[in-house]
Amino acid sequence: MEETVLVEMKDDVAVVTINRPKAMNSIDPDTISALGEAVADLAVDPDVSVIILTGAGEKAFVAGGDIKGMTELDGMGGREMALDAQSVFNLVEKCPKPVIAAINGYALGGGCELALCCDIRLAAKSAKIGQPEVNLGIIPGFGGTQRLPRLVGRGLASEMIFTGEMVTAEYAERIGLVNHVYEDGELMDKALEMAVKIAEKSRTALKLSKEAIVNGTEMDLDKGCLYEADLFGLSFSSADKKEGVSAFIEKRKPEFKDV
Ligand code: CO8
């Protein structure tokens, strides 16, 4: 059987591809757990600086949870399914390395929710994004009702969730749901370009920045700023801080050792 999650290394950038193109890369429980295993491995792999998440083929990033697997699911089963998927999506969000979603087509339901866990979302011009669960008589369960309003605001998130309508990549860019939109054929090159730029930085600084952003934005401003100050202080104890500051003073490019 073909693997549903592929990992390809491009130097120190890992490209993770959800690979169920015949089912629009919809994610069933096995695919979700394979994704979790891949991300857990990459999180601790010393050869990996940045992760790009995308979907196989040209039509879909991830068109949602596998609807065909929903027929037998009862109330408790649905809850368990949501909690399992949420724990994998949390792994993506808390991964110590930057994760870029390259949204190459439909990102619907669980696919939109997966993109929401990534640090940066880039989209192809033809991509369509949405939370269509209401059309199936259910609600988003992989974090969509929580992360979407936090990202785009409650009003716009409510509109997307209540109407179940897909939005275009251009609209998603306008409301801050994606950072940038590129021509379809350019998306992966642009994602890689950004990943390579990020991969040149100190991994220690990236990791601490991500911790400050992901955890700090869930705190009130005072606590968040105090948390930031702690991590800022911690970054001063790294060899990379010494190297970065010395390189600036000596007018040369820093050579970070990621410690
Ligand atoms: N689940 C399962 N199969 C899917 C899914 C999906 N989410 N999306 C597409 N497919 C399958 C189709 O059934 C079809 O298979 P087949 O060839 O065997 O009939 C194949 O992919 C191609 O799809 P279409 O023929 O429909 O292609 P179109 O280009 O006409 O349309 C769309 C593409 C617009 C993406 C359309 O397929 C669609 O609307 N898909 C459903 C999108 C959706 O509603 N997503 C949200 C799902 S719900 C969710 O994510 C919440 C969690 C669910 C829990 C799951 C528990 C296991």
Side-chain angles (χ1 to χ4, degrees):
M1 233 171 72
E2 219 176 340
E3 288 185 45
T4 55
V5 176
L6 308 174
V7 178
E8 188 192 353
M9 292 303 302
K10 294 188 191 266
D11 296 321
D12 54 350
V13 177
V15 180
V16 176
T17 304
I18 305 294
N19 184 38
R20 295 183 78 217
K22 286 193 188 121
M24 293 277 168
N25 301 323
S26 57
I27 44 177
D28 59 6
D30 287 347
T31 306
I32 293 171
S33 78
L35 174 65
E37 280 168 28
V39 171
D41 288 349
L42 296 171
V44 294
D45 187 332
D47 295 329
V48 176
S49 297
V50 178
I51 298 168
I52 296 177
L53 203 53
T54 194
E58 283 152 19
K59 288 193 175 158
F61 172 69
V62 168
D66 187 337
I67 299 171
K68 291 167 188 168
M70 282 170 54
T71 46
E72 300 300 319
L73 220 50
D74 62 10
M76 283 309 284
R79 186 173 191 273
E80 287 307 313
M81 165 84 210
L83 290 174
D84 286 349
Q86 285 176 10
S87 72
V88 169
F89 285 21
N90 288 342
L91 269 184
V92 175
E93 186 170 59
K94 305 264 181 193
C95 174
K97 295 163 184 181
V99 184
I100 300 172
I103 305 172
N104 54 316
Y106 293 110
L108 304 174
C112 177
E113 290 164 310
L114 180 57
L116 288 169
C117 297
C118 298
D119 302 298
I120 293 169
R121 283 156 294 282
L122 307 178
K125 207 168 180 178
S126 68
K128 296 264 184 350
I129 304 173
Q131 296 283 170
E133 286 87 346
V134 286
N135 299 328
L136 301 166
I138 58 171
I139 73 164
F142 300 174
T145 63
Q146 303 307 304
R147 291 194 179 92
L148 189 58
R150 280 167 167 79
L151 186 64
V152 303
R154 189 169 144 183
L156 291 170
S158 299
E159 185 178 335
M160 282 179 69
I161 292 169
F162 296 167
T163 65
E165 280 175 7
M166 301 179 211
V167 302
T168 62
E170 274 112 337
Y171 175 84
E173 185 184 29
R174 261 202 323 275
I175 64 171
L177 176 49
V178 304
N179 293 22
H180 305 288
V181 177
Y182 300 108
E183 293 300 328
D184 290 6
E186 287 180 3
L187 174 67
M188 265 324 275
D189 285 348
K190 293 289 186 186
L192 272 167
E193 203 177 285
M194 184 182 282
V196 166
K197 194 183 283 182
I198 294 172
E200 285 171 2
K201 314 296 176 197
S202 152
R203 274 194 216 163
T204 309
L206 291 172
K207 178 179 141 91
L208 294 176
S209 305
K210 180 161 173 175
E211 273 180 42
I213 295 167
V214 173
N215 300 323
T217 50
E218 293 306 314
M219 300 173 185
D220 67 43
L221 189 60
D222 279 351
K223 289 200 181 69
C225 284
L226 184 60
Y227 179 59
E228 181 192 73
D230 288 343
L231 295 177
F232 177 73
L234 195 57
S235 72
F236 276 65
S237 64
S238 72
D240 281 353
K241 172 255 172 184
K242 213 171 160 194
E243 168 61 11
V245 172
S246 305
F248 176 80
I249 293 167
E250 292 160 19
K251 299 189 187 301
R252 61 176 174 81
K253 212 173 165 217
E255 283 179 37
F256 293 121
K257 298 279 187 284
D258 303 323
V259 282

